[in-house]
Amino acid sequence: MKAPKVPKTGKAAKAAKTVQAKRAVKATKAAEASKGADGARANRVARAAKPESHLAMVRRARRINRELAELYPYAHPELDFRNPFELLVATVLSAQTTDLRVNQTTPAVFAAYPTPEDMAAAVPEELEEIVRPTGFFRAKAKSLIGLSAAIRDNFGGEVPGRLSDLVTLPGVGRKTANVVLGNAFGVPGITVDTHFGRLVRRWKWTEQEDPEKVEAEIGAIFPKSEWTMLSHRVIFHGRRICHARKPACGACPIAPLCPAYGEGETDPEKARKLLKYEMGGQPGQRLNPPADYPGKPAPGPGGS
């Protein structure tokens, strides 16, 4: 037979009450911190239990786009440019490197070769040396000289404003063409880069790996008028929150809509430390960002 418990008195009672109070506070904080995470987990479990219909996926995709529009009202191309030719050159140079590195390199490029005619006449070795910081500099210099010559000879020295014409230029594929069309000519286009492809598959908008098939399937989900800004928003999100190796799930505003929630860090405090650029209080990638960009400009040439 167990001995009856003796009620605690004096200091012992006060200590017990203090411990209980602290436990209650911790429990409350934990509950509040995990509220969003629990909602995201519940939605994920529900979707796993019942396969999502195509219509439900389209509605979820469009809601994510609306949420991203509120999160990134300032989304924009992260390459510095002043005209279609500069954007075309910068986009070609951006392959296999960061937009920041391109933006730190292009001032010297355009100072030396401001027009297609100038670049078409460039000495290859001299152009190669200028674009060397972007990597693959020989291949890129060859493409830049070739596309500049084609613009000079076939399009009267002006960058063409049609997809079918742009993709005939050396080094220019659909991704590059859509970047130029959407941002220099106002022609809607979907830019399927590594960030865009990763996120739309992570969100179960498509299972396609081929960029052209991804472009076609995503284009069928959204109105054409949304294509360019959708591309910017998704790419912004991929660079700032939904990283490839370790997404900041616990700091993601669209976590309740994400079927991949939990692939990354779910603890809110730890997740916030993973945020990049203006979301993490760091400089952006453009030396000359748009006026509505809330972050800091990138460091100029010679900066890190």
Side-chain angles (χ1 to χ4, degrees), residues 81-96:
F81 69 98
R82 295 169 295 184
N83 54 58
F85 178 64
E86 289 190 358
L87 180 57
L88 177 60
V89 169
T91 306
V92 170
L93 290 176
S94 69
Q96 304 299 314

Side-chain angles (χ1 to χ4, degrees), residues 7-76:
K8 294 179 180 179
T9 58
K11 292 182 179 180
K14 289 181 181 180
K17 288 181 179 179
T18 301
V19 171
Q20 290 175 350
K22 288 182 178 179
R23 286 176 179 171
V25 170
K26 286 182 179 180
T28 301
K29 288 183 178 180
E32 290 174 351
S34 64
K35 186 176 180 181
D38 287 343
R41 288 193 193 96
N43 288 341
R44 187 180 182 187
V45 170
R47 281 193 290 268
K50 183 180 180 181
E52 186 177 45
S53 68
H54 180 73
L55 178 59
M57 181 275 290
V58 170
R59 287 174 174 168
R60 179 171 59 82
R62 292 182 175 182
R63 185 178 171 189
I64 287 177
N65 183 40
R66 292 194 297 271
E67 296 278 346
L68 293 178
E70 291 184 10
L71 185 61
Y72 307 112
Y74 49 84
H76 58 268

